[in-house]
Amino acid sequence: MKARIFQKPKNAMQSGRAGTQRWILEFAPAEARKPDPLMGWAGSGDTQRQIRLGFASQAEALAYAERNGIDAEVVAPPVRTLKIQAYADNFR
């Protein structure tokens, strides 16, 4: 089993950062999705894609992966850059 451990980024449409401190362990797809012959919906027999585990820290997520024999790859969180500007700068 392959998985990735990452920290969920902030939603670009909102200013709040709730839930961004948690680390997520998400399994990689084991098989490709294929269209259902009757309805045309995309699906697969891979049930691991439905599982997302949350952890308080990166170390906890790595410890869980090692304890359960999961080959995990850690994805570094995106660097947060702030563009500081005053409201008056809009009128210059």
Side-chain angles (χ1 to χ4, degrees):
M1 291 186 291
K2 283 194 66 80
R4 69 180 181 128
I5 297 172
F6 64 98
Q7 200 170 18
K8 195 166 92 173
K10 182 182 88 65
N11 186 349
M13 302 303 287
Q14 297 179 351
S15 62
R17 293 185 302 180
T20 60
Q21 301 302 317
R22 308 251 330 141
W23 287 83
I24 309 292
L25 185 139
E26 183 176 71
F27 290 98
E31 66 180 55
R33 291 180 174 223
K34 51 190 174 285
D36 180 57
L38 179 63
M39 298 297 290
W41 296 338
S44 72
D46 183 19
T47 57
Q48 297 268 338
R49 287 184 83 156
Q50 301 171 9
I51 299 172
R52 292 182 77 174
L53 301 173
F55 298 93
S57 68
Q58 178 183 357
E60 286 182 22
L62 280 172
Y64 177 83
E66 289 176 12
R67 194 169 52 245
N68 291 299
I70 300 169
D71 181 25
E73 169 193 356
V74 177
V75 178
V79 177
R80 188 167 167 237
T81 58
L82 296 175
K83 182 180 175 186
I84 308 295
Q85 82 180 60
Y87 178 70
D89 291 343
N90 293 332
F91 303 104
R92 291 185 187 176

